[in-house]
């Protein structure tokens, strides 16, 4: 094994692994060669998919029903009572449905039956798996039948990663990958329902007079539980089901984006202690977070994904000025971006908190600001250096706070268009080698778990906390290696 050049060791704070290839070019060459070995990534993905489908009870039950095959391994056994968390993109079935749809979009090969212990569904195409798991997600969330879904209250249950509308949006995207006419028709029904819920939510948000409690603790704007997560629902539906006019009205999404900026400016002006150093300011549970999950990175990324939704030049400028203020005030001595304001300890380097979540936002800022594009790209590269040094996390391989999510930071820098990077471009070539090393790290998950180097996540097979996130990352690395030309997609974030 490449690891024979020096064993992986746990950092002093226990948050990440230190590996020889982070500082030794020859060791890095060795692990990159292992990743590029013909069939290595395919076998790793197939083995991980087989493990997920064997041990995740809700997925196993969905695929068991799909194949209608007598399963003596216990697929029909009594399962724990379902909660919304079992259905969501973040920790549940909807995220795994998106994974299967992504494998189909990448044209990732199906496993040979011999490599999957002749599982009944080994030859089931990815779109059928996606549809079966998507329908299970809908049922688990109480969103079936799709033709008679009630309107929701528009009170925060609408985010892509953690809400009921998010389950519907992900299910629509997964069903859209199917060739079955009923699946595709239901995808459009779900897409229209998502659009209606977001429109109703926007009206309610604009008409709501803030209560005393809301003045002290304003509504959420962040990605996991707030308005940025609402926008992500609409973006996913419209990307997966393009139509004219779009299923989710662009005016609704623009209205939500403008609401986010308007509220951010208002909170900045009204902050305790006087105006803040940030033109946009958002508190979540009384604390100002800066990362992608609960803070400015996720909000800025969402707004910069479609800057045309902010027709007022001052609103667009406020977003970029907020990014500039963060770069000026919130980068610690190590190069990491602090998790919250005012800055505290420099501990976390992961998508949800720290430098990793800021790299995609900085790359979006570069696209939105031609004059400062080089500066933002340089800041993104500097943040990625921190991820390289401290990003092989002990929390697992998921997207939120795992190796897979941190790997995407490097992959997006290396190949924003999904093409195999040109070795003559030093920054892209370096990021590509690093991205492949993180793929190698994901591939070590079974061994490192046995050695006690990785912790068991709360949702060990999910997209954002567990194995599904690692599978998604390996598949995107495989696609770049195959020169597929499909932009790497951090599912649920880069929609």
């Amino acid at each position: 094994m490449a690891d024979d050049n020096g064993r992986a060791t746990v950092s002093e704070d226990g948050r990440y692994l230190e590996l020889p290839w982070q500082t030794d070019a020859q060791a890095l060459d060795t692990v990159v060669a292992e990743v590029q070995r013909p069939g290595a990534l395919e076998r790793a993905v197939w083995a991980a998919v087989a493990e997920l489908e064997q041990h995740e009870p809700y997925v196993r039950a969905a695929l068991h029903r799909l194949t209608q095959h007598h399963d003596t391994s216990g697929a029909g056994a009594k399962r724990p009572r379902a909660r919304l968390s079992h259905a969501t993109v973040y920790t549940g079935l909807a995220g795994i449905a998106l994974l299967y749809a992504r494998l189909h979009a990448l044209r990732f090969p199906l496993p040979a039956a011999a490599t999957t212990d002749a599982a009944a569904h080994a030859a089931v195409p990815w779109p059928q798996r996606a549809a079966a798991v998507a329908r299970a997600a809908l049922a688990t969330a109480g969103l079936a039948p799709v033709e008679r879904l009630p309107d929701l209250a528009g009170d925060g249950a609408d985010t892509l990663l953690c809400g009921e509308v998010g389950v519907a949006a992900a299910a629509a995207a997964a069903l859209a990958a199917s060739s079955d006419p009923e699946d595709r028709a239901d995808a459009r029904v779900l897409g229209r329902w998502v659009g209606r819920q977001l429109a109703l939510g926007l009206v309610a948000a604009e008409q709501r007079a803030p209560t005393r409690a809301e003045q002290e603790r304003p509504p959420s704007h962040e990605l996991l539980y707030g308005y940025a997560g609402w926008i992500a629902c609409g973006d996913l539906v419209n990307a997966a089901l393009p139509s004219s006019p779009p299923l989710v009205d662009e005016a609704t999404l623009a209205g939500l984006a403008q609401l986010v900026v308007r509220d951010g400016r208002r909170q900045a002006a009204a902050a305790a202690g006087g105006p803040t150093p940030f033109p946009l300011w958002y508190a979540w549970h009384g604390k100002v977070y800066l990362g992608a999950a609960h803070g400015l990175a996720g909000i800025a990324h969402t707004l910069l994904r479609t800057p045309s939704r902010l027709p007022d030049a001052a609103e667009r400028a406020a977003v970029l000025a907020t990014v500039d203020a963060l770069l000026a005030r919130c980068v610690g001595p190590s190069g990491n971006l602090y998790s919250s304001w005012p800055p505290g300890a420099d501990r976390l380097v992961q998508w949800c908190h720290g430098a990793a979540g800021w790299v995609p936002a900085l790359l979006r800022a570069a696209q939105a600001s031609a004059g400062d594009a080089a500066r933002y790209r340089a800041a993104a590269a500097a943040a990625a250096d921190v991820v390289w040094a401290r990003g092989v996390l002990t929390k697992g391989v998921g997207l939120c706070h795992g190796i897979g999510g941190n790997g995407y930071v490097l992959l997006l820098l290396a190949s924003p268009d999904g093409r195999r990077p040109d070795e003559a471009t030093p920054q892209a070539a370096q990021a590509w080698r690093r991205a492949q090393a993180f793929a190698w790290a994901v591939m070590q998950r079974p061994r490192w778990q046995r050695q006690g180097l990785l912790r068991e996540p709360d949702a060990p097979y999910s997209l954002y906390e567990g194995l599904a996130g690692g599978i998604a990352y390996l598949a995107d690395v495989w696609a770049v290696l195959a020169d597929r030309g499909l932009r790497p997609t951090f599912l649920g974030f880069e929609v």
Side-chain angles (χ1 to χ4, degrees):
M1 298 295 295
D3 182 70
D4 288 344
N5 292 316
R7 287 187 176 278
T9 57
V10 179
S11 65
E12 186 176 343
D13 65 5
R15 296 180 186 277
Y16 59 94
L17 300 179
E18 296 169 334
L19 292 126
W21 42 257
Q22 291 167 311
T23 55
D24 183 333
Q26 185 174 0
L28 180 57
D29 288 341
T30 302
V31 298
V32 167
E34 286 194 16
V35 170
Q36 293 186 359
R37 184 177 299 149
L41 284 167
E42 291 95 325
R43 287 190 295 273
V45 168
W46 293 337
V49 167
E51 180 184 345
L52 184 157
E53 293 176 348
Q54 180 181 359
H55 295 291
E56 209 296 331
Y58 296 93
V59 172
R60 186 171 56 170
L63 297 178
H64 173 71
R65 290 191 295 272
L66 176 66
T67 56
Q68 295 184 339
H69 182 82
H70 179 62
D71 183 359
T72 59
S73 66
K78 184 177 180 181
R79 296 171 292 155
R81 185 174 180 179
R83 302 190 302 269
L84 178 61
S85 62
H86 295 137
T88 63
V89 170
Y90 191 90
T91 54
L93 290 161
I96 295 170
L98 285 180
L99 168 64
Y100 287 138
R102 181 63 180 170
L103 292 171
H104 170 63
L106 294 174
R107 304 190 301 281
F108 196 90
L110 286 168
T115 69
T116 60
D117 298 324
H121 50 268
V124 173
W126 302 123
Q128 288 179 242
R129 299 188 201 204
V133 174
R135 291 193 180 279
L138 291 168
T140 301
L143 297 174
V146 300
E147 300 85 359
R148 296 194 298 274
L149 294 182
D151 290 333
L152 301 178
D155 59 358
D158 302 336
T159 68
L160 179 57
L161 294 180
C162 296
E164 294 166 276
V165 176
V167 173
L175 292 170
S178 173
S179 59
D180 184 284
E182 182 179 351
D183 287 341
R184 297 185 65 81
D186 283 351
R188 300 189 71 80
V189 172
L190 287 166
R192 284 190 288 270
W193 183 81
V194 168
R196 176 172 170 79
Q197 304 318 301
L198 297 182
L200 291 171
L202 174 61
V203 170
E206 290 179 328
Q207 292 180 347
R208 183 187 299 121
T211 64
R212 187 182 198 89
E214 285 178 331
Q215 289 173 341
E216 295 173 358
R217 180 172 287 183
S220 179
H221 300 79
E222 40 88 82
L223 190 67
L224 249 66
Y225 303 114
Y227 296 139
W230 295 23
I231 295 171
C233 288
D235 284 343
L236 177 60
V237 166
N238 287 345
L241 292 155
S243 64
S244 183
L247 294 178
V248 180
D249 189 358
E250 182 59 30
T252 297
L253 299 176
L256 287 167
Q258 292 160 31
L259 174 67
V260 169
V261 174
R262 188 164 63 246
D263 283 0
R265 296 171 86 173
R266 185 183 301 123
Q267 289 189 46
T276 75
F278 302 97
L280 302 180
W281 181 260
Y282 305 95
W284 186 74
H285 284 233
K287 193 170 184 178
V288 177
Y289 288 96
L290 305 176
H294 296 301
L296 282 171
I299 294 169
H301 178 272
T302 300
L303 296 172
L304 292 171
R305 193 163 57 228
T306 314
S308 60
R309 290 174 183 158
L310 304 175
D312 185 338
E315 293 180 333
R316 296 194 300 275
V319 181
L320 291 172
T322 300
V323 175
D324 291 340
L326 179 125
L327 292 174
R329 295 173 177 268
C330 299
V331 179
S334 73
N336 191 24
L337 284 90
Y338 291 112
S339 299
S340 59
W341 180 268
D346 173 9
R347 296 194 306 267
L348 302 177
V349 181
Q350 50 202 45
W351 172 79
C352 49
H353 299 290
W358 271 100
V359 172
L362 291 166
L363 294 176
R364 292 290 183 181
Q367 293 174 340
S369 176
D372 281 332
R375 179 169 63 87
Y376 289 127
R377 281 196 292 268
D385 286 342
V386 180
V387 175
W388 172 246
R390 297 165 55 188
V392 184
L393 302 176
T394 58
K395 295 179 180 179
V397 299
L399 298 185
C400 184
H401 37 263
I403 302 169
N406 279 356
Y408 267 111
V409 168
L410 306 170
L411 190 58
L412 286 168
L413 271 177
S415 178
D417 60 358
R419 291 295 180 189
R420 190 163 179 170
D422 183 353
E423 294 295 327
T425 307
Q427 187 181 81
Q430 180 192 62
W432 174 225
R433 283 163 57 77
R434 290 176 168 184
Q436 291 173 90
F438 270 57
W440 180 88
V442 171
M443 293 161 67
Q444 307 314 301
R445 182 193 64 88
R447 181 164 64 98
W448 284 351
Q449 282 190 333
R450 289 194 301 271
Q451 294 172 351
L453 297 174
L454 298 183
R455 306 176 205 168
E456 178 83 355
D458 291 336
Y461 299 103
S462 65
L463 187 63
Y464 270 69
E465 291 190 355
L467 182 55
I471 295 170
Y473 179 63
L474 292 180
D476 264 326
V477 171
W478 171 87
V480 173
L481 194 60
D483 206 23
R484 283 286 196 247
L486 291 171
R487 175 183 171 84
T489 299
F490 192 122
L491 293 171
F493 184 54
E494 287 278 341
V495 296

